[in-house]
Amino acid sequence: MKKVRKAVIPAAGMGTRFLPATKAMAKEMMPVVDTPSIQFVVEEAIKSGIEEILIVTGKGKNAIEDHFDANFELEANLRGKGKDSLLKIAESTTVPSIHYVRQAYPKGLGDAILQAAPFVGNEPFVVLLGDDIMPSPKPLTKQLMDIYESHGKGIVATIRIPKESSNRFGVIDLDEKLADNLYSINHFVEKPAPEEAPSNLGIIGRYLLTPEIFEILKNQNPDDGNEVQLTDALETLNQISPLIAYEHTGKRYDVGDKYGMLIANIEFGLEHKDTSEKMKTYMSDLAKKLKDE
Ligand code: G1P
């Protein structure tokens, strides 16, 4: 079995859910407290032992490349002023092992993943979607890599979702329980209406895939919105080469959504050393005020 060494991070979406903020700015650069959301997934990949990362970008996404590159002027300035701790922060996001490719047209997640075919070659690989942040002592990506080592199959990470949210997720039609939190899969359904959802297990943005996915994506027709859906390709792949669903029971922040982004900022702000104390006081005062209203 080949070792999982490569990660693909799609970051070409237009981020329309955050307009007007994303009119001139990559949504992946929107911060949770002081950290661009994409940095969380890059760090998760690195902590999981991934050696090479490909970010699939598009128009208006140059800030992502700049963020993970050295900033000589800023570093010289901070060094000159003796601001060592800030210098350390600036240097810490320089990641030379990231490669980039552009998706020319916004043709969906499946098409974005297809752009990674030459980078991935004939190896298993992981996909991390930047909209999902899952803080965990053992990174979720690493958990998927360990399951792959023991089961040798592609894996999708899932969580239990409220039925009424099914139209925001790829939903799994479960086959049988294989072990704790592991299931075989009958079908994948992309964003079903709640009454048509086959289960309450929704896909979250971590996948471990085998390279057969590329041939499938290449031949797959776009949906009615002219997008090539990754979930539809997984449905085909599952028939040839069965995948496993892993149920993640830890935290998930959906930073691709306004409400989820606000929650992430509050909760991370309550933990961050620069804001924790003030935030706690503010939050408890606010809670009292809201209760009295
Ligand atoms: C994508 C996938 C969907 C998955 C979701 C997880 O949707 O198409 O199957 O459940 O990511 O975040 P998006 O949120 O990009 O619309």
Side-chain angles (χ1 to χ4, degrees), residues 17 129 132 169-170 190-191 203 231 252:
R17 274 182 243 172
L129 305 187
D132 291 304
F169 292 87
E190 178 68 353
K191 302 186 178 147
I203 302 174
T231 307
R252 167 183 181 253

Side-chain angles (χ1 to χ4, degrees), residues 17 23 27 48 53-54 58 138 142 163 166 188 231:
R17 274 182 243 172
K23 188 176 168 192
K27 81 164 175 182
S48 301
I53 297 171
L54 177 80
K138 178 173 171 185
K142 175 68 176 139
K163 269 251 158 154
S166 349
F188 288 83
T231 307

Side-chain angles (χ1 to χ4, degrees), residues 78-230:
L78 293 172
R79 197 172 291 116
K81 291 181 176 153
K83 296 189 172 173
D84 293 345
S85 56
L86 290 178
L87 177 63
K88 235 171 140 184
I89 294 173
E91 285 174 340
S92 70
T93 71
T94 304
V95 186
S97 56
I98 302 186
H99 309 260
Y100 298 89
V101 65
R102 282 168 76 118
Q103 182 188 27
Y105 299 98
K107 276 179 60 184
L109 180 59
D111 180 71
I113 302 293
L114 184 55
Q115 309 311 311
F119 164 81
V120 170
N122 195 26
E123 297 182 27
F125 65 106
V126 287
V127 173
L128 295 91
L129 305 187
D131 283 352
D132 291 304
I133 299 179
M134 269 81 60
S136 171
K138 178 173 171 185
L140 184 50
T141 296
K142 175 68 176 139
Q143 295 179 44
L144 301 191
M145 289 160 71
D146 288 350
I147 297 168
Y148 180 72
E149 286 221 339
S150 53
H151 288 72
K153 289 181 174 164
I155 309 142
V156 292
T158 62
I159 47 161
R160 296 283 167 187
I161 54 167
K163 269 251 158 154
E164 64 271 18
S165 311
S166 349
N167 57 2
R168 289 175 35 216
F169 292 87
V171 179
I172 307 287
D173 178 0
L174 293 173
D175 182 18
E176 59 186 56
K177 186 168 175 171
L178 302 171
D180 274 353
N181 300 324
L182 288 184
Y183 302 88
S184 57
I185 301 164
N186 278 327
H187 293 289
F188 288 83
V189 189
E190 178 68 353
K191 302 186 178 147
E195 60 280 11
E196 277 157 25
S199 77
N200 65 349
L201 218 48
I203 302 174
I204 50 174
R206 301 293 181 275
Y207 308 77
L208 194 153
L209 301 174
T210 48
E212 294 136 290
I213 195 76
F214 295 119
E215 209 41 49
I216 297 171
L217 285 169
K218 229 179 267 171
N219 295 306
Q220 186 177 296
N221 291 327
D223 66 6
D224 295 345
N226 202 27
E227 295 200 349
V228 176
Q229 295 298 343
L230 177 61

Side-chain angles (χ1 to χ4, degrees), residues 17-36:
R17 274 182 243 172
F18 282 107
L19 280 170
T22 48
K23 188 176 168 192
M25 186 182 88
K27 81 164 175 182
E28 293 78 9
M29 292 305 294
M30 295 203 17
V32 177
V33 188
D34 52 8
T35 303

